[in-house]
Every structure is written in structure tokens, then in C-alpha cells.
Amino acid sequence: MKDTEIIAALDIGTTKVCCVVATPSPGDELSVVGIGNAPSTGVAKGAVNHFDRVVSGIVAAVREAELMAGCQIKNVYLGVAGGNVTCYNTRGVVGVRDTRRHVITEDDKRRAQRSALSLKISPDEEILHQIEQEYAVDDLTDIRDPLNMCGERLEVNMHVTTVSVNAIQNIVNCVKAAGLRVDDDDIILESIASADAVLSPQEKEAGVAVLDFGGGTTDIAIFVNGAIRHTKVLNLGGNDLTRDILKTLMIPMDAAEALKVENGCCYPRLLDSFEEPILIPAPGERRQEVGRHTLADILTSRTEEIFAHVNEEIIGSGFDSRVMEIVLTGGSSLLLGAAELAREIFERPARVGFPVTLGGLSRNVSSPKFSMVLGLLLFGYYRDQSWELADDKKRKGFWGSLFSRFKKRLDA
């Protein structure tokens, strides 16, 4: 298989490095053909803390995916979470250049966007995303695309996400050291990628907050009226739950993680009043017992804290009243009781979001812990499609094309 026929996505997380390869199939289908996983031991809270270990994890995951797919991976789409992510909602206003007919052109749109991007950011930050939300033409508001409309004044609202220059460069340098190429336009904020894998266009229209509850971070993305309104990365995640088990029960980290995954619950009401104690490894030859309710108390306390921080962020975003639903995804969302606790903390409907089903080997990555990497594949696929369809790109722009194609797929 030629490298031009494949799309490869790379997730460098706190607990795992995952590479998934897909190829377009007839009928506007995307099929997963290769999957590679490796332990991640050089990342903490989404940021690199041991360069060589990260490179080794990337090489191992990519090699496994290449062997399964029968191809060589050269370019990847990359998800990022750490690096002091900051978001801004900004507005740009320009006059329409065609003073005779007042017809809005692509040039007018670009000038309005440049006006919106005149915000000042610190020297140690760089813009990761600049996404159109909606336009206004004179007194007409909530316009998705004003091209060829008539008016004298054009306004655009945009969502801008910035990250630490050094943090993002460290990740990119690891990818390059592993023999791969990643272009600036191929780096995506994890919460945005996850959202495209687990949310329907209808949910984005109605108002939704997606929480990618990962190992090192919890990534938040809020959508209202079909557009992204707020993004945030919290340096709290599933590993904090594991460390609480470790400290309380005095057991090794790997045993604490296994205990959490196999027997954990963060909503004790789901447990029977009496549960057989769980046998867990302990130092030496002795074995230790712990009750499921005791374990649940440990996990509930920390999960409540994380959700409380998320709730504060939603309220502080100014879109609290517009968020109709909470969607949890990421590996830690699989913790028993996560959705039930979320309904209680956020006081609104909540569910665990599973990624959209693709073709091929997608059943092997149908878990929420693969939502982000599958979102990256969708991003790459639809972007490549939109580049090929030049007329479609001129009419809608990349994000509009992505929205309409993804909507068509989910509605099918």
C-alpha cells in the first residue's frame, strides 16, 4: 500500500501511545487497516518529560500499525492536550470592498478573519486553531457562510486556541525523531478531535460539552449552534485516581491501575449493599483485601473533584445555560458510574460517548479510549477530500465542508 493511499493518526497520551491507520474505500467509507499500541512512559499531563522514552513509544506503536496494515507510515495527524492551552472568542469587522454591488467575496471573508486575529498573545504562545463560528452581514446575524451575499459591513466571530510554543515543539520533535513528518496544519487539539468522533451535528447545534477524560488530562470542548465556543485542558485525569488508590492501599502503581479498571466504581449506589472483598497483590507473599465500597469511596472523591473543576470551567465560559448535555469520552470515562455521577454533578443529561463506527478493523478501536485518534482520522480524511474538491472548498471553507460531510455520514 502506498503512503499516499493511507491516513495515519497518532495519539501520544499519558498512559499509551496509539497509532491507527485507515484508507478510503468505495462509497465514501473510511476503513481501519492497522492499529498499534505501546506503553507511554515519557509523558505527564500531556507534556513530554522524557524525550527518548516518548520516541521509543512512538516507534513501537507505529511499527505495529505498519506491520498490520502492510504499509510504511511517513506522515501523521497528531493530537495534543498539554501545553497551557488557552482559548479566545474574538470578532473581526470590515467593510465590503465592492462598493457598487456590495457582493461579499472570499477576499472580504479573509480580511474579516485577519481583523479577528489581531489579538495579542504572549511570545511563548502560538495559535493552534482559528475556527470560524458565524458571520453577520449588516443587521443579519448567525450566518454560516456569507459568500455572495449582499451587504456593506461584514463581521465574523472566531474561536482561537493557543498553546505553549515549547510544549508543542517538544511533541513535534519527538515525532520527527521517530522518523515521521507532521505538518503544522495536521496538529489538532484532542478535545476537538474527540468531539468529531462522538458528537452528532444535532448535539453540536443544541449545545453540548464533551469531556475527554484521559489518563493525564481532562479536555473540555463546548459547542453551541454548531460551532465551538470554548476549549480548556485541565491537568487532572485517570492517573490521579490511580495514585489515590496507590497512596491509600500502599500497592504498586500497576496493581492500582488494574484494580481501578477491573473493579472500580465512582458511583457507590450502583453497588450491592454487600460485596465480596477483592484480593489484591501486596508487598512480599501476603495478600491484601479491599471492599468494593472502600475502593468506590476513593474513586468517587477524586472524580467528584475533577467534575467540579469542569463544572466551574463551564460556568466560567459563559455558555452554561446553553449546554444541554454532557458527553464523556476517553479511557477514564469507562469507569463504572462516570455518567451517573456526571448527571448528578452537572445537573443535566450525561452519557458516555463511543466513537463513530468506521469500516475494516474499527471494531478493535470502538472504545471511548480511541475516540481522539479516530477523530484525527476523520479530520484527515475529510480535509483531504475538501482539498480535492476545490469548488466545495471555495463555497464552504474547510470547517464548513467537514461539518456537512460529517453530518451526512452520521445521518445516513
Side-chain angles (χ1 to χ4, degrees):
M1 193 182 302
K2 297 178 182 178
D3 65 288
T4 54
E5 297 174 343
I6 65 171
I7 301 168
L10 185 63
D11 174 13
I12 306 172
T14 301
T15 59
K16 74 177 188 311
V17 179
C18 178
C19 180
V20 179
V21 184
T23 184
S25 300
D28 199 29
E29 182 73 27
L30 190 62
S31 294
V32 175
V33 294
I35 305 161
N37 288 288
S40 179
T41 58
V43 175
K45 305 297 182 183
V48 174
N49 66 7
H50 196 297
F51 190 90
D52 290 342
R53 289 178 182 174
V54 175
V55 174
S56 296
I58 295 171
V59 170
V62 169
R63 185 175 297 155
E64 184 178 341
E66 288 177 331
L67 289 172
M68 186 179 294
C71 69
Q72 182 180 5
I73 299 170
K74 295 181 179 178
N75 291 36
V76 294
Y77 289 90
L78 176 66
V80 296
N84 301 320
V85 175
T86 306
C87 76
Y88 307 88
N89 289 317
T90 181
R91 174 177 294 185
V93 184
V94 295
V96 176
R97 274 194 170 151
D98 185 346
T99 57
R100 185 172 63 87
R101 295 185 303 137
H102 307 295
V103 176
I104 295 169
T105 65
E106 286 286 358
D107 177 66
D108 293 317
K109 289 174 60 178
R110 283 193 294 269
R111 289 190 301 112
Q113 293 167 14
R114 284 197 296 269
S115 174
L117 294 173
S118 60
L119 73 166
K120 292 182 180 180
I121 62 174
S122 67
D124 60 347
E125 289 181 307
E126 67 178 63
I127 293 177
L128 180 62
H129 293 305
Q130 46 196 45
I131 305 171
E132 303 157 74
Q133 293 172 325
E134 64 270 317
Y135 290 85
V137 177
D138 296 339
D139 295 327
L140 295 175
T141 59
D142 296 327
I143 298 170
R144 288 286 167 81
D145 190 345
L147 188 63
N148 295 324
M149 293 180 65
C150 293
E152 297 181 359
R153 185 185 66 182
L154 178 64
E155 298 181 34
V156 62
N157 291 329
M158 298 190 70
H159 182 80
V160 179
T161 303
T162 66
V163 293
S164 161
V165 173
N166 290 335
I168 201 79
Q169 196 59 53
N170 285 335
I171 290 282
V172 170
N173 287 344
C174 288
V175 175
K176 290 180 178 178
L180 302 169
R181 175 180 171 180
V182 56
D183 296 328
D184 290 345
D185 292 340
D186 298 341
I187 303 172
I188 316 299
L189 189 64
E190 290 190 0
S191 56
I192 294 177
S194 296
D196 281 333
V198 303
L199 299 181
S200 70
Q202 292 80 6
E203 286 174 313
K204 291 183 180 181
E205 285 286 340
V208 61
V210 60
L211 315 182
D212 191 329
F213 193 9
T217 63
T218 298
D219 309 331
I220 308 166
I222 297 175
F223 293 82
V224 175
N225 289 345
I228 190 161
R229 306 292 170 174
H230 187 78
T231 48
K232 183 69 174 180
V233 176
L234 300 179
N235 288 326
L236 293 166
N239 277 9
D240 294 285
L241 279 68
T242 303
R243 278 189 285 269
D244 286 348
I245 297 172
L246 179 154
K247 293 175 182 177
T248 304
L249 302 180
M250 302 297 290
I251 60 176
M253 188 72 172
D254 56 350
E257 177 68 16
L259 188 61
K260 179 188 73 175
V261 172
E262 296 169 12
N263 298 283
C265 174
C266 64
Y267 198 70
R269 288 179 229 176
L270 295 178
L271 302 177
D272 294 336
S273 57
F274 176 78
E275 293 274 357
E276 290 289 337
I278 307 162
L279 287 174
I280 56 175
E285 297 183 358
R286 64 185 181 87
R287 297 185 67 83
Q288 184 176 341
E289 290 186 352
V290 62
R292 286 201 70 187
H293 281 273
T294 300
L295 178 61
D297 288 341
I298 298 170
L299 296 173
T300 301
S301 178
R302 179 67 73 171
T303 309
E304 283 180 342
E305 178 194 349
I306 293 172
F307 286 174
H309 283 298
V310 173
N311 200 34
E312 289 175 6
E313 189 65 32
I314 293 173
I315 293 170
S317 74
F319 294 97
D320 178 51
S321 63
R322 308 290 299 277
V323 174
M324 300 293 106
E325 181 187 23
I326 304 293
V327 176
L328 305 171
T329 195
S332 298
S333 70
L334 293 169
L335 182 64
L336 180 64
E340 288 80 2
L341 183 61
R343 292 185 199 115
E344 194 170 281
I345 298 292
F346 298 107
E347 298 182 337
R348 66 200 83 194
R351 68 176 178 86
V352 176
F354 284 75
V356 63
T357 301
L358 304 179
L361 303 171
S362 64
R363 65 185 180 277
N364 296 326
V365 286
S366 60
S367 165
K369 62 186 177 181
F370 296 109
S371 293
M372 195 281 287
V373 74
L374 291 184
L376 288 174
L377 289 178
L378 290 170
F379 178 93
Y381 177 54
Y382 293 130
R383 197 188 74 164
D384 289 348
Q385 293 266 314
S386 66
W387 283 178
E388 292 172 6
L389 301 175
D391 291 339
D392 184 64
K393 180 190 170 194
K394 290 177 183 176
R395 184 171 65 253
K396 300 176 182 177
F398 166 60
W399 288 98
S401 176
L402 177 62
F403 176 87
S404 62
R405 290 171 182 275
F406 191 48
K407 181 180 187 301
K408 178 180 178 183
R409 177 173 183 80
L410 288 179
D411 289 345

